[in-house]
Amino acid sequence: MKVSAFSVLGCAPALILLKLGCLARGAYVLDGRTLPDDFIFSCGTSAYQIEGATGSQAEGGKGTSIWDTFAHEKGLGHIANDETGDIAVDFYHTYPRDLPLFRQALGVNQFDFTVAWTRILPNGTGTTANPAGLNFYRDVIMTAHRNGMTAACTIYHWDLPQALQDKYGGWLNKQVVSDFRNYAEIIMDGLGDLCDDWLSMNEPRTFCQEGYGADPVSAPAIPNGTFKTEITCRHNAMLAHAEAHEVFVEKKKQGKVKGKFGIKIDGGPGVPMDPTSAADVAAVDRHHAFEFWEVSPLVNGTYNPTMRTALGSLLPSFTAEETKKVAGSYDFVAFDAYTSTWIAALNASDAAACTGEQSDFWPECVEDSETDHAGYLIGKPTESDWNFRANDTIYVGLRYMHENGIKAFTVGENGMAVIKEASLHLGERVVDADRVDWYRSTFKNINWVLDAGLPLIGASFWSCIDNLEWSSGFTIKFGLVDTKPGYNQTRTSKMSANYVKAVMTGELDSRYSYFPSEGI
């Protein structure tokens, strides 16, 4: 079988080799547009989803995270088929061959990964990094560098130390803020000479809602969660982010870290069900205020007035000192863009009843749906029930951020799960035409963003490689590189990897349909 039109063993073909030179900054040309020399093109991963060497298979002194615990609570349906990340896709052992593949197959100039808190501080606290964990990440970054990629280091991606969850309730207790700062200091001391950019955390809205909210589906899945517990988690996460940013600023002044500092946020931009209805358009504005709740604190150090009016005393407040730390606590914001949603104003009776958690619409108090009133889906469906290829998700989300004061941003994550891909044979899995179609839409959005003069500094596609898709286990695949779970599995680049590489290097124009003449 022909694996790839662009060899995964080298930087062929010759034209791609000339453009990438096994990477030179400034090599990217998107649909005839030469991108800035410092434009970031990356693919993303997260520790629990790919590393393995954790849980029952822990190595190198790694401690237990809330996801280790959650995955091992068997028979409760936490993760599909009771799967775990104990081995995952074995990146802990295979990174020396995975990183060159990511570079060669996709043409990326940055590897976007996350550090596992419990590899560095097995119990979540302490003053000294676990040497084995620190050395692992140092070698990962140096391997990325040797292969022509910079490294974006995300401090936290959902895998809180179980010891801190047991000790004081994790993100529900303000103690986590100081413990997070301590962890940030230690990891920046240990990796600051190598990490090229930093991000504090991934998607606080989602890990708080799904782990600490009223209907938890992710670790730690606290019992008796409410919107109050969810918003407490979010507030503490924003404070922790600000503390990590302060550490970064201090250490950069000392010459101990380099690059830029950001945070990854998610959210589904709204599309008015009736664009001619002033009420539906206003409902979209209200939806955005809640959906992109991090924007106002990052810009102003306060929650937006829409949330404050709706939630009152239920919404925590920042002290004057906290406001100073939170406002401006970023160099860029990464938008994890996966779908949009239809939005409409509520009818009179639903609006009158939207006063608390007994209402299905509270606290946004708008109608939010995957289908409009005529039954049309917001976009092309995928294997994930929350993941739709809508027309302008990236553009609308980034435009909202820009209009509300965010000074620079990236596409932090963007990708899709092909329907039934996990059940297909390898030869079928790697010909992922639907994922090519997805990224064609992504490039359309990126062009719109650039045409509008919005401050886009990079894009990261999710995911570099198939992984454990959280509670969906290995039944759903987002990777641009194919693999199976387990030790030392085969890696094969997919057609989508070839496509995004060819588009970003000017070989293909994303404005035209992609019909490869020689298979993939």
Side-chain angles (χ1 to χ4, degrees), residues 91-109:
F91 181 79
Y92 187 81
H93 300 109
T94 60
Y95 71 89
R97 65 182 175 95
D98 287 338
L99 290 169
L101 173 58
F102 300 161
R103 172 70 185 89
Q104 294 157 11
L106 284 81
V108 291
N109 65 9

Side-chain angles (χ1 to χ4, degrees), residues 305-356:
T306 298
M307 289 183 68
R308 178 58 67 192
T309 299
L311 299 175
S313 60
L314 187 62
L315 185 65
S317 296
F318 297 108
T319 66
E321 180 182 356
E322 290 167 348
T323 291
K324 287 181 64 177
K325 286 187 180 184
V326 173
S329 58
Y330 71 97
D331 296 309
F332 67 96
V333 173
F335 173 38
D336 292 1
Y338 287 103
T339 193
S340 298
T341 186
W342 294 111
I343 298 293
L346 296 180
N347 61 44
S349 60
D350 284 335
C354 193
T355 58

Side-chain angles (χ1 to χ4, degrees), residues 507-519:
E507 281 299 291
L508 293 176
D509 190 317
S510 75
R511 292 168 291 188
Y512 302 103
S513 296
Y514 178 49
F515 297 104
S517 59
E518 300 181 19

Side-chain angles (χ1 to χ4, degrees), residues 53-102:
T54 190
S56 67
Q57 304 298 312
E59 296 182 38
K62 185 183 182 297
T64 301
S65 77
I66 55 175
W67 270 93
D68 290 316
T69 300
F70 188 69
H72 280 269
E73 292 175 341
K74 301 297 186 182
L76 299 179
H78 288 337
I79 297 181
N81 303 317
D82 271 344
E83 291 164 329
T84 75
D86 288 6
I87 302 172
V89 298
D90 197 29
F91 181 79
Y92 187 81
H93 300 109
T94 60
Y95 71 89
R97 65 182 175 95
D98 287 338
L99 290 169
L101 173 58
F102 300 161

Side-chain angles (χ1 to χ4, degrees), residues 103-388:
R103 172 70 185 89
Q104 294 157 11
L106 284 81
V108 291
N109 65 9
Q110 186 173 85
F111 177 51
D112 178 359
F113 76 102
T114 63
V115 177
W117 192 336
T118 51
R119 276 203 201 284
I120 303 303
L121 297 171
N123 292 310
T125 58
T127 58
T128 304
N130 170 34
L134 187 63
N135 289 338
F136 166 68
Y137 290 115
R138 288 188 65 83
D139 202 52
V140 165
I141 299 168
M142 289 188 288
T143 302
H145 287 171
R146 286 194 297 271
N147 285 278
M149 296 180 289
T150 60
C153 305
T154 299
I155 298 171
Y156 179 77
H157 195 138
W158 302 11
D159 49 353
L160 185 79
Q162 183 64 45
L164 302 187
Q165 184 64 34
D166 294 340
K167 184 178 180 181
Y168 51 65
W171 288 103
L172 299 185
N173 191 305
K174 203 168 184 177
Q175 177 62 38
V176 75
V177 176
S178 58
D179 284 340
F180 191 84
R181 180 186 177 106
N182 175 67
Y183 165 48
E185 286 187 293
I186 289 171
I187 199 62
M188 288 184 196
D189 284 339
L191 300 179
D193 60 321
L194 295 175
C195 287
D196 299 283
D197 290 300
W198 291 86
L199 296 105
S200 60
M201 62 183 63
N202 179 280
E203 301 174 3
R205 182 184 71 93
T206 294
F207 77 71
C208 288
Q209 180 183 53
E210 294 189 354
Y212 293 88
D215 189 21
V217 294
S218 295
I222 65 164
N224 304 315
T226 63
F227 186 76
K228 175 65 174 176
T229 54
E230 176 187 333
I231 206 71
T232 299
C233 170
R234 293 199 211 180
H235 186 72
N236 288 335
M238 184 55 66
L239 292 173
H241 156 80
E243 291 293 333
H245 175 258
E246 185 173 76
V247 171
F248 173 82
V249 170
E250 292 171 355
K251 292 190 180 297
K252 193 167 186 180
K253 288 178 181 177
Q254 299 164 4
K256 295 180 178 179
V257 297
K258 56 187 175 179
K260 295 181 174 67
F261 186 91
I263 181 174
K264 288 188 178 183
I265 69 174
D266 63 343
V271 179
M273 286 202 191
D274 180 358
T276 68
S277 164
D280 284 6
V281 172
V284 168
D285 290 340
R286 183 178 177 87
H287 167 77
H288 286 165
F290 280 90
E291 197 76 353
F292 299 108
W293 67 275
E294 300 100 332
V295 169
S296 183
L298 289 169
V299 173
N300 306 308
T302 58
Y303 291 110
N304 67 69
T306 298
M307 289 183 68
R308 178 58 67 192
T309 299
L311 299 175
S313 60
L314 187 62
L315 185 65
S317 296
F318 297 108
T319 66
E321 180 182 356
E322 290 167 348
T323 291
K324 287 181 64 177
K325 286 187 180 184
V326 173
S329 58
Y330 71 97
D331 296 309
F332 67 96
V333 173
F335 173 38
D336 292 1
Y338 287 103
T339 193
S340 298
T341 186
W342 294 111
I343 298 293
L346 296 180
N347 61 44
S349 60
D350 284 335
C354 193
T355 58
E357 291 188 66
Q358 74 281 356
S359 168
D360 291 337
F361 303 105
W362 188 85
E364 287 189 19
C365 296
V366 302
E367 183 181 352
D368 177 343
S369 179
E370 295 160 359
T371 57
D372 68 5
H373 292 157
Y376 290 102
L377 282 169
I378 190 63
K380 186 176 180 180
T382 72
E383 182 69 3
S384 294
D385 58 9
W386 48 267
N387 182 211
F388 294 86

